[in-house]
Amino acid sequence: MSDLEDKDLHEDEQYKDKLTPLQFEVTRNKATEHAFTGEYWNTSDQGTYLCICCGAELFTSESKFDSMCGWPSFDKPLNEEQLVEEVDTSLGMVRTEVTCDSCGAHLGHVFPDGPPETTGLRYCINSASIDLKKSDDN
């Protein structure tokens, strides 16, 4: 991808007509949806979770687990290079923000309190930032 194409994917205005107001606020303005309200927090459907803005593949249903936090939680990304992690000091705390490498969409945060038998990580992701491409098995 050229630098010009990459820059175009990061331009927020192009997403205003494509996304719902909540999706836009979450992905482009780093908002957070309310716990236990998102479409995917409690789903067990099989498939691949894509970035709602650019369609990049982010997580699989195999890595999803119930963390009881009210947001979809995953123990690992499908492709680590697809996620960018940055320190987030908003709201008076230090967290690690997770964004999509392709388009800069805010996805959520990653915490070191995931399942110890796997990665020990919990990618706490806003449902508004992802779209589930269901497997043919569903």
Side-chain angles (χ1 to χ4, degrees):
M1 181 179 308
S2 73
D3 287 343
L4 182 58
E5 289 173 319
D6 187 45
K7 183 177 185 275
D8 289 344
L9 282 175
H10 284 80
E11 294 296 325
D12 293 344
E13 287 304 311
Q14 71 171 315
Y15 298 105
K16 282 211 173 191
D17 292 333
K18 176 183 178 183
L19 304 174
T20 68
L22 177 62
Q23 290 169 334
F24 187 86
E25 282 304 305
V26 167
T27 60
R28 308 325 297 178
N29 294 324
K30 302 182 186 225
T32 300
E33 66 196 7
H34 293 286
F36 305 103
T37 63
E39 180 178 0
Y40 301 118
W41 79 269
N42 197 28
T43 188
S44 58
D45 292 339
Q46 298 298 302
T48 303
Y49 290 87
L50 311 176
C51 175
I52 197 71
C53 292
C54 70
E57 294 183 339
L58 303 172
F59 301 96
T60 65
S61 54
E62 287 80 27
S63 68
K64 189 173 186 289
F65 67 98
D66 184 5
S67 67
M68 297 180 280
C69 71
W71 291 276
S73 296
F74 305 87
D75 66 358
K76 65 180 175 260
L78 181 60
N79 175 359
E80 288 185 26
E81 289 77 36
Q82 189 56 51
L83 300 183
V84 175
E85 296 181 9
E86 295 181 6
V87 175
D88 174 4
T89 57
S90 65
L91 304 177
M93 60 183 102
V94 178
R95 302 176 291 172
T96 302
E97 178 188 13
V98 179
T99 60
C100 176
D101 185 54
S102 296
C103 68
H106 170 76
L107 304 171
H109 294 84
V110 61
F111 301 97
D113 60 0
E117 65 275 6
T118 60
T119 63
L121 298 174
R122 174 174 57 98
Y123 288 85
C124 184
I125 305 299
N126 290 286
S127 287
S129 69
I130 54 178
D131 183 35
L132 176 60
K133 179 182 172 187
K134 292 184 183 179
S135 299
D136 293 334
D137 309 357
N138 291 330

